[in-house]
Amino acid sequence: MESHSIRTYPPLIGVLLEPKTWSNFKDTMIEVVCNDRLGKKVRVKCNSEDCIKDLKKLIAAQTGTRWEKIVLKKWYTIFKDHVTLGDYEIHDGMNLELYYQ
């Protein structure tokens, strides 16, 4: 039998990725634009492996608000703190809605 060099990505159990795809998927820097529609627009650079909580902390550092008070949405989807940006399929240049709780 021959051995194949195919890796699996832990959160996506059962999905097989080729080695060249694996290196592109892991740790890609993206820029996310957050707009609160009150005149504040924030551009944040982060990794696709970061959690929403990490993104909120970066936004809070730029806006001067506490990260616990920030709510991020896209249409009617409210993003949960423990899920990664890659899991939500948030890509480079994507716009998110910024609300305050």
Side-chain angles (χ1 to χ4, degrees), residues 3-5 8-9 11-12 16 18 21 23 27 31 33 44-45 50 54-56 65 68-70 73-74 77 92 96:
S3 62
H4 297 285
S5 61
T8 59
Y9 181 64
L12 304 173
L16 299 177
E18 296 177 6
T21 311
S23 63
D27 279 343
E31 185 178 59
V33 180
V44 180
K45 287 199 179 279
D50 289 344
D54 300 330
L55 177 61
K56 285 183 179 182
T65 60
E68 297 96 348
K69 297 290 182 184
I70 293 175
K73 289 184 182 181
K74 182 71 175 180
T77 304
D92 188 28
L96 300 180

Side-chain angles (χ1 to χ4, degrees), residues 80-92:
K80 308 282 184 192
D81 288 340
H82 63 280
V83 183
T84 64
L85 301 176
D87 290 341
Y88 276 124
E89 297 182 1
I90 296 174
H91 303 295
D92 188 28

Side-chain angles (χ1 to χ4, degrees), residues 14-52:
V15 176
L16 299 177
L17 299 173
E18 296 177 6
K20 59 184 175 185
T21 311
W22 173 259
S23 63
N24 294 337
F25 186 72
K26 194 174 163 188
D27 279 343
T28 54
M29 286 290 288
I30 60 172
E31 185 178 59
V32 180
V33 180
C34 300
N35 190 356
D36 68 353
R37 297 189 291 172
L38 297 172
K40 195 174 290 183
K41 195 176 213 181
V42 181
R43 294 175 163 258
V44 180
K45 287 199 179 279
C46 53
N47 288 326
S48 61
E49 297 298 313
D50 289 344
C51 294
I52 295 292

